[in-house]
Amino acid sequence: MVQQVMVQQAGAITAEDGARSAKGRSSLMRSPQFSSFVILVVLLAVFAVADGNFLSPLNISNMMAFLPELGIIALGMTLLLTAGEFDLSVGAVFALAPVVVMLLVQNAGIDIGVALLAGLLLCIAIGAINGVIVTKIGISSFLVTLSMLLIVRGAALYITQGFPLKSWNEPGFFVTLLAGSFNVGSFRFYTSLWWFIGLSLLAVYVLRYAKLGNWISAIGSNRNAAVARGVPADAVKIWLFILTSVLAGLAGMISAFRISAASPVAGTGYELEVIAMVVVGGTALTGGRGTILGTVVGALMLRTIRNGIVLVGVPGLAYNIFVGVIILAMLILHALLQKNAARS
């Protein structure tokens, strides 16, 4: 009798584990990042069939050269959007930071390391101003960062008179750190890829496993409830604005070192492209839900589209049409998935 009861209990436990496993698989398949990943795989297959050079080492190397720069900004934007805010000034900061660094080096004779630090301090100041105005004065982040976009872009154009600057291209520690390259077989990659991978892993840890990640999600879901539970909502948002601005400046410096030029109009339109990457990946535009893995998939997806449509002969000017259609389709898909999840 005892043995029979034990067998029944073991069977019940096995059935419960199986049900839990099936539920986990079903939840994964309904997640926004999974649907984004499926669409990415489909796009890769379509472009690979349409043009045999799409998966060539040269083309993949070209795609991966540019991906980390926008991807790094997208990581900061993911955390900020999860907290219910966003930053439209990142494209302008992307341009201003390397411009200031190069002017300090070329016109003031400042050491490149000190100039890079000064550029990052400028980014911290811009992010702090955005965060303080949004949280302490209560103005919408859309209006504040739109105004900051105009100020920062105007400053970059004014101090350069609209002309690009020759970037630092002398061999050295900082060039290797930010824009060094290495080969893996027939593929050529830049050190910015390691920056992107490392920062992505750190962002995954913060958002999924750290207390700060719980705070960020709670603030985006219901700020008042989060504050009532002791979450320092204003401080968290200010630091997220600073982080996003610093990552935009870092990405701009990496780009300037890679192409040996610092342009005051670099990063034009990046703010919308970065938000598109984040939203396509499954982060809620209204806050409360964020996914770093989804952002990485979204960044890969938009780079795939930009590269693929040119290879198959579609005019590059049509890129925005494709991006707009993809964003709209993904928003609809994510909304349907959410309704399905709520129903079940």
Side-chain angles (χ1 to χ4, degrees):
M1 175 69 73
V2 173
Q3 187 176 3
Q4 186 178 0
V5 170
M6 290 176 66
V7 169
Q8 288 175 345
Q9 287 177 339
I13 291 171
T14 304
E16 185 180 339
D17 288 344
R20 192 181 295 117
S21 176
K23 184 177 180 183
R25 285 194 299 272
S26 174
S27 175
L28 173 64
M29 293 181 69
R30 287 200 303 265
S31 66
Q33 55 265 43
F34 181 79
S35 58
S36 301
F37 178 74
V38 170
I39 292 176
L40 172 62
V41 171
V42 171
L43 285 170
L44 289 171
V46 168
F47 287 130
V49 171
D51 191 294
N53 293 320
F54 179 74
L55 294 180
S56 69
L58 177 60
N59 190 55
I60 291 177
S61 298
N62 287 336
M63 279 200 295
M64 297 307 290
F66 185 69
L67 169 71
E69 293 158 15
L70 275 176
I72 287 171
I73 307 174
L75 297 175
M77 191 71 79
T78 301
L79 298 176
L80 192 58
L81 272 173
T82 305
E85 307 290 350
F86 55 89
D87 188 348
L88 294 178
S89 68
V90 290
V93 173
F94 180 94
L96 180 63
V99 160
V100 168
V101 170
M102 290 307 113
L103 282 175
L104 289 175
V105 171
Q106 294 169 13
N107 295 356
I110 293 177
D111 178 75
I112 182 65
V114 177
L116 285 169
L117 179 60
L120 290 176
L121 289 173
L122 175 63
C123 296
I124 290 173
I126 293 170
I129 292 169
N130 284 337
V132 168
I133 294 175
V134 169
T135 58
K136 301 303 182 183
I137 301 181
I139 303 175
S140 160
S141 59
F142 173 83
L143 297 174
V144 172
T145 58
L146 177 62
S147 302
M148 187 60 74
L149 181 158
L150 298 173
I151 294 168
V152 172
R153 181 70 70 186
L157 288 166
Y158 179 74
I159 61 178
T160 61
Q161 296 300 299
F163 293 102
L165 304 171
K166 182 177 172 58
S167 182
W168 185 268
N169 59 1
E170 296 179 17
F173 172 74
F174 292 107
V175 172
T176 303
L177 182 67
L178 296 177
S181 62
F182 59 96
N183 293 323
V184 179
S186 302
F187 299 91
R188 187 189 186 198
F189 300 114
Y190 287 88
T191 50
S192 55
L193 182 61
W194 293 119
W195 281 95
F196 183 42
I197 293 171
L199 289 169
S200 296
L201 292 174
L202 180 61
V204 167
Y205 171 76
V206 168
L207 197 55
R208 292 195 60 181
Y209 303 107
K211 181 192 289 187
L212 177 60
N214 292 331
W215 285 358
I216 292 170
S217 298
I219 293 167
S221 298
N222 189 327
R223 182 187 178 282
N224 292 334
V227 170
R229 293 184 178 186
V231 175
D234 287 354
V236 170
K237 284 189 178 184
I238 290 170
W239 280 109
L240 288 177
F241 274 108
I242 292 173
L243 174 66
T244 304
S245 186
V246 167
L247 290 179
L250 173 64
M253 293 173 193
I254 288 172
S255 176
F257 276 86
R258 181 175 63 84
I259 65 176
S260 297
S263 172
V265 296
T268 301
Y270 278 13
E271 55 280 343
L272 299 181
E273 194 165 347
V274 165
I275 291 174
M277 289 176 176
V278 176
V279 173
V280 162
T283 295
L285 194 58
T286 52
R289 187 188 75 238
T291 162
I292 298 298
L293 178 60
T295 294
V296 173
V297 172
L300 284 167
M301 188 187 301
L302 265 67
R303 285 308 304 156
T304 298
I305 295 171
R306 181 184 285 276
N307 183 272
I309 62 173
V310 173
L311 277 183
V312 299
V314 178
L317 294 175
Y319 171 69
N320 287 338
I321 299 173
F322 280 80
V323 172
V325 170
I326 288 289
I327 293 171
L328 192 57
M330 293 303 297
L331 287 173
I332 293 170
L333 179 60
H334 293 166
L336 293 175
L337 288 171
Q338 265 191 304
K339 285 183 180 178
N340 250 354
R343 238 185 262 124
S344 56

